[in-house]
Amino acid sequence: MKIALHQIAYQIGMHPAEMAKLVYEGEVTGEVPDRNPQAKDAWVDLHSLKNFIEWKFDQGAFDQMFFDKAMRHLNKAMGKK
């Protein structure tokens, strides 16, 4: 399930450039044409992003508040089919 990278990044509290870096490094599935995370056609896969955030939280890389906010917004976005 794809969503505009710049939209979901701001909602979960992550800068689009930071999320684009995750896409470049292959941590999260998506596409960032011309390396521009603000581009309308830059996208990220919600399932991949959710799995990444859960994995990093389990490793202690994200605090509880960030995790809760991210999960709330991801679940809300995933509910809109």
Side-chain angles (χ1 to χ4, degrees):
M1 175 179 273
K2 298 191 316 188
I3 191 167
L5 185 147
H6 70 277
Q7 179 184 355
I8 196 67
Y10 285 126
Q11 287 180 352
I12 67 172
M14 186 180 285
H15 194 277
E18 184 180 352
M19 189 175 292
K21 184 178 178 198
L22 296 174
V23 172
Y24 303 146
E25 294 173 352
E27 298 286 341
V28 177
T29 303
E31 188 175 326
V32 186
D34 299 324
R35 300 184 72 82
N36 179 7
Q38 299 288 351
K40 288 184 180 180
D41 51 353
W43 61 272
V44 66
D45 179 77
L46 289 173
H47 295 288
S48 177
L49 181 59
K50 184 176 181 181
N51 290 339
F52 174 79
I53 290 173
E54 288 172 342
W55 175 62
K56 291 303 259 186
F57 176 71
D58 290 342
Q59 291 183 331
F62 296 138
D63 64 16
Q64 186 71 47
M65 191 161 63
F66 175 85
F67 178 77
D68 290 343
K69 179 180 181 180
M71 289 298 109
R72 183 173 61 249
H73 285 287
L74 287 167
N75 289 331
K76 182 178 176 185
M78 291 171 83
K80 296 179 186 175
K81 295 183 181 182

